[in-house]
Amino acid sequence: MKTYRANVMICAGTACVSNHSLDIKKAFEEEIKKRDLEDEVQVVTTGCNGFCGAGPIVVIQPDGIFYQFLKPKDVPYLVEEHLLKGRPVKKLMYVPPEEEVPIPKMNDINFFSGQMLVALRNRGMIDPEKIDDYIARDGYSALVKVLTTKTPDEVIEEIKASALRGRGGGGFPAGIKWETCKRAEGEPKYVICNADEGDPGAFMDRSIIEGDPHSVLEGMAIGAYAIGVSQGYIYVRMEYPLAIERFKIALKQAREYGLLGKNILDTGFDFDVDIRRGAGAFVCGESTALMASVEGRIGEPRAKYIHTVEHGLWNRPTCLNNVETWANVPVIILQGAEWFTSIGTGDVSKSPWGGSKGTKVFSLAGKINNTGLVEVPMGITLRKLVYDVGGGIPKGRKFKAVQTGGPSGGFIPEELLDLQVDFEQLDAAGSIMGSGGMVIMDESNCMVSMALYFIEFLVGESCGKCTPCREGLRQLRYFLKKIINGEGTVEDLEEIEIISETMQKASLCGLGKSAPNPVLSTLKYFRDEYIAHIEQKKCPAGSCRALIKYEINDSCIGCLLCKKQCPENAISGESKKLHIIDQDKCTNCGVCFSVCPVDSIDIISGGDIVYHHEALEVENDKEMSV
Amino acid sequence: MPKLTLKDLDKIREKTQRTMNLREGAGRAKITVHMGTCGIAAGARKIMDTLLNVVEEKDVKDVILTTSGCAGLCSREPMATVELVGETPVKYVDLTEEKIIKIFNEHVLGGTSVQEYALVMGSERTQ
Amino acid sequence: MTEVNAARDTKPETVQMTINGNSIETEKGKTVLEAARENDIEIPTLCYHPGLESIGACRLCLVEVAKSSRPGRKRLVTSCLFPVENGLIVDTQSNVVRQHRKIVLKLLIARVPDSDLIRQLATEYGVHESRYVEREDADKCIMCGICVRVCDAMGANALVTLSHGLDKYVDVPNKNACIGCLACALSCPTNAIPFEEVGDKRRIWGKEFDLIRCEVTGEPIGTPEQIEHIAKRSDLPIDSFLKSANARLKENAAESVGVKL
C-alpha cells in the first residue's frame, strides 16, 4: 500500500461537480506531477462535504485545512505553497461572515463543529467509488457481525431497542416495521429503499448515496437478513443521475466481493438489490405509489387501510425505508442501541414513540450564511441550528421564519426558535420533521407568497385521483392568488380554512393530507400578513408584484444603471442627477431594485414604505437635483 | 475478482488503515517536516522521502507525517518537530537522512527523544 | 365428512359490528359499504360500482369508524374500501362526515358546474351557494374512473387516464382498441361521455362504427367489433347476438306457450 503524507480530498458531490470540481482534480494531479509530489500526495474525490454554499471545496489531510470557492487557476499556487512548502494559503480559507481572520481548520468552523456524524460518518473521508475505502472504515463489519453472531430476531430486537424512527418524514419506528413485516404472511418478501427524495431543496438522501452508497446497501442487507428477504429494490428519482451511477458502481463492487448475491460470505444468506428509476413524479415518494411504479403501473397511491408491510410490492409483505434510515442501521449494530438512545430527546424505555433518538441530516437553504448539508443530534435547538451551525442571516437581516418538512411542512416563527428539533416538538408547532429540509426566511419573504409557492408545487405534483386534493388545490390556489393580487376578502380566509380541513381529513394519501400545512401554518403565525394583503392591499415584505411600487429615494447617485436596465424604459434622469420611475410604465419587474449599487430604491406597499435602506454616508459635495 | 472471506475483509481494513488515519489526522505521533523555501533549499524534501520510506518499510500505520512552513530558524534547517500524543513536542535541527532515521526509531517508535539532535522542548505545540 | 359438515366448514366467518347504533352481522371480507347497503343504510357514492374494484377516489362514501376497544379514537375512512371487522363502530352521518361530504360535493360542483346529478347531490347534502372558482371549459367528468375500470372489465382496455393532477383527463389514445360498446358512456354517473347513434352509424371517442340493429325490433345491438369481442369472450356463436334482448325475450315467451313467432 502506497505511503502518502498528504491526501487532497476534493468534494465531488453533485453541486461541486457542476461547479467544475473535477477540473480542479485534474489541475491538482497535473501540478502535483509537475512538482514531483506524486509519491507523497494522493488526490482523492469524495462525496458531498456538506458546506455547499462554499464550493468547490477541498480539504487537505492530515492537516484538516479547509479551502473554499476554489478555481482551477488557484491550484498551482496552492500546491506550491501548501503541499510543497507547507504554508497553507490564507486567502483561500473560510472567513466567518462580518469577520476578517480566516479559520484554517475544518473542525474549527462552526458549520462543522456543531455537527455529529452518524449517517454521514464517512463524509469527506472516502472515495465513494472504492469499496475498499468503505471497508477500511468498518464498512460491512456490521453485516459480518449480524450474519455470524446474531439471529434475525436478535437484529430486530436491537433495532427496536434503538428506537430508530423513519428518516423520510413519517418517523415510524423502524424496528416495529421490520417486525411486522417479518411476521406477515406471504412469500417472497421485499425490502425497498425510498430514494425518491422529492421535497424541493432537499438533498440529504442524494448526498448519502453519492458520498457513501455502501452504507445504504449494508443497511438493507442487515434488514433483509432480519426480516427474511432475498430481494431488495432501490427506487431512485431519475433526476439523480450521479446517485444512480454511484449505486451501480457500488453494487458491482459489492457483488464482486461476494458481499451481495448468493451465499454471502459463505453464510448461506442470499441478498441482492435492483435499481428502479423514477420518472419525475413527486407523488412516487409515497410508498404505495412507489410500489405501483416499481410494478410498472401508474404511480398513484391507494388507500392504506391494508398496510404495505402486509400487502405491498406484488401484494407481498414489503418493508420500505428511507435512504437515511438504512444508512443508520450498520452504526446501530456496531455501536449498539444503548449508544444510539443516548443521543436525542425523550424517553424510549416504554415505547419508541416516546422520543427522537440519534441524529438527523438537514439541508440548510434560503436566507442563511452557511447553506449546505448538516447532521446534528436530535434535540438541537432551532436557534443553535440557524445561528451557530447555519451562521445566521446574511446582510444583517432579521430572521422571520424557518420552513421545515418541505411541501408537507409548516413555518416556525422567531418566538419558537428555542424549540428542540425532534418529531414531536415540530409537530406541536404545526410543522413536521419531514425529510429534513430547512428553508430560512428573512423579512423580505412574503409568507402568503410562500404558501402559494408550495400550493403551486403540489398542483403540479398531485396525481389527481381523489377529489379533496385535486379540487382542493385548485381552490386554494385560486383564493391565495386573489389575496396576492389585492383582490382577497376576509371570507376567503374562512374558505381556505374549511377546504384545508377537508383536504387534511379526507384526502386519499399523505400528499393531499399535508398539502394545506404550509397554508395553515402561515395563517397561524402570520395572519397579520394575510390581513394586510386583504385590508390594506399591502405586502409588508415588499414582494407581491401586484401590491408594490418602486420609488427611487434621494440617496440616488445618478449612475444611470437602472435606467439602462429597465426593460420598459420607465426610468428617466441624467447622469449625476436624481432618477425617477414613471409608475404608469413600470411593471414592477424589480430589475432596477436589484441592480442599484447604492440600494437607493424604496419599495412602497399599501401606502407605506416597506423597504428602505439607510445610506451609510452621504458625500457633502454631491448636489442632487431633479 | 474472487469472493472475499472474513479474513480478507480484515486484511483490507488493515491495509488501508494508514490512509484512514491520515485522512482523520489521527495517530499516536505526528512528525512535522518544516519546509518553506529555506527548508526545501536545505534538503527538507529528502528528509520527508526518508520518513516515507521508513514508514512503509516498517509498516507503521499510526504516525502522521506532515509539513509546515518555515519555523524561523533557517540556519538550522532541515528541521522536523516530533510530537507524541500527550507529550511536549521536540524540535530537531540540522537533520540528515541518518539522523531522522535514528530519531524515528528511538523517539517515534521507541518513545525516548534523541537529545543530541534536539533544539528546544515544547517551543511549538501543533494541534 | 358429510355434505352438511362440509358445507358448515366452508361457511364464511361472520363479523359483528354496529352502524349508526344498529347491530349488524355480516361476512368477513366485505367492506363497510357493502355491509351498510345490505342493511338498507344509505351511504352516497360516485366512483363505486358493484361490478368493479373500488378505488376510493371520489371520497363521497366517507364514514367515521372506531374500534369497540377504543371508541373515542375515530378515523375518517372510505367505506368502499374499509374492511369490516368484529366490534367495528361505524357512523355514516356524524357532523364530521356530513361536513366533509358537503365540501367534497362543493368542490365537485366547481369542477362540473353543468352536471345536474352533482348539483342535486350537493343540494341534498347542504350545499347552497359557493364562492369557489369554476373550472374553465368544464365538461362533466368527475374523474371517478368508472369508465376506465369498466372498459378494462370489458376486456377492451381502450380507455386510460392521461396526464395528472388538475390536467388529468380520460381518453382513448389508440382508437383501434375501442370496440364502441358504450359500456363507458352508459356507466358514467354524470353522462360525461357523449356518443351518437344515427341510422346505421354509431360515433364515440372520435371513432365511427357501423351499428348493427336487431333484425326483429330494429333496436341497436352493437358494433361488429363489439359483437365479435363478446362472442369470443362468451364462447357463443355470433348469430346468437343478432337479435336484441327484447326480441329474444318475446321469442322465449312465445315458445314457452307453444307459439312460434
Side-chain angles (χ1 to χ4, degrees), chain A residues 110 124 371 433 613:
Chain A
N110 275 356
T371 51
M433 174 90 66
H613 175 73

Side-chain angles (χ1 to χ4, degrees), chain A residues 182-294:
Chain A
K182 188 186 169 95
R183 294 214 185 118
E185 274 176 36
E187 287 292 330
K189 301 185 180 161
Y190 300 101
V191 291
I192 298 184
C193 171
N194 186 345
D196 194 54
E197 193 166 54
D199 288 356
F203 58 108
M204 297 67 69
D205 294 346
R206 195 193 77 215
S207 295
I208 292 175
I209 300 169
E210 288 174 357
D212 199 0
H214 288 283
S215 65
V216 179
L217 297 177
E218 189 181 1
M220 288 176 79
I222 292 170
Y225 173 75
I227 298 169
V229 165
S230 59
Q231 177 67 52
Y233 290 95
I234 301 177
Y235 187 85
V236 194
R237 61 180 301 188
M238 60 91 155
E239 294 92 332
Y240 282 178
L242 187 55
I244 294 172
E245 185 58 32
R246 299 250 159 101
F247 256 146
K248 285 189 177 160
I249 294 172
L251 280 171
K252 180 162 175 282
Q253 293 178 347
R255 285 180 189 136
E256 273 169 3
Y257 270 3
L259 292 164
L260 280 181
K262 295 243 182 288
N263 193 17
I264 294 173
L265 292 169
D266 254 332
T267 58
F269 171 57
D270 300 337
F271 178 64
D272 210 334
V273 177
D274 273 354
I275 299 178
R276 289 285 192 269
R277 301 194 323 176
F282 173 77
V283 74
C284 281
E286 196 275 345
S287 58
T288 58
L290 189 158
M291 292 182 203
S293 176
V294 172

Side-chain angles (χ1 to χ4, degrees), chain A residues 3-5 7 9 35-37 40 61-63 84-86 105 125 133 135-137 141 257-258, chain B residues 1 3-4 6 13 15-16 18 22-24 35-36 45 48 52 56 64-69 127:
Chain A
T3 305
Y4 294 102
R5 59 146 173 101
N7 272 194
M9 312 303 285
R35 298 288 184 162
D36 239 343
L37 287 165
E40 299 175 45
Q61 299 290 5
D63 311 324
L84 185 60
K85 296 186 182 167
K105 290 199 191 220
M125 290 286 157
D133 276 13
I135 292 172
R137 288 177 62 88
S141 300
Y257 270 3
Chain B
M1 184 166 300
K3 307 247 191 254
L4 292 192
L6 293 174
R13 213 162 287 131
K15 225 173 43 158
T16 36
R18 188 186 303 126
L22 190 163
R23 291 183 188 168
E24 285 175 43
M35 298 285 186
R45 289 198 71 179
M48 178 56 87
L52 283 168
E56 185 155 350
I64 301 289
L65 296 172
T66 188
T67 61
S68 77
Q127 287 290 3

Side-chain angles (χ1 to χ4, degrees), chain B residues 27 32 35 62 70-71 74 80 106 121:
Chain B
T32 308
M35 298 285 186
D62 53 359
C70 167
C74 312
E106 288 183 25
M121 301 281 270

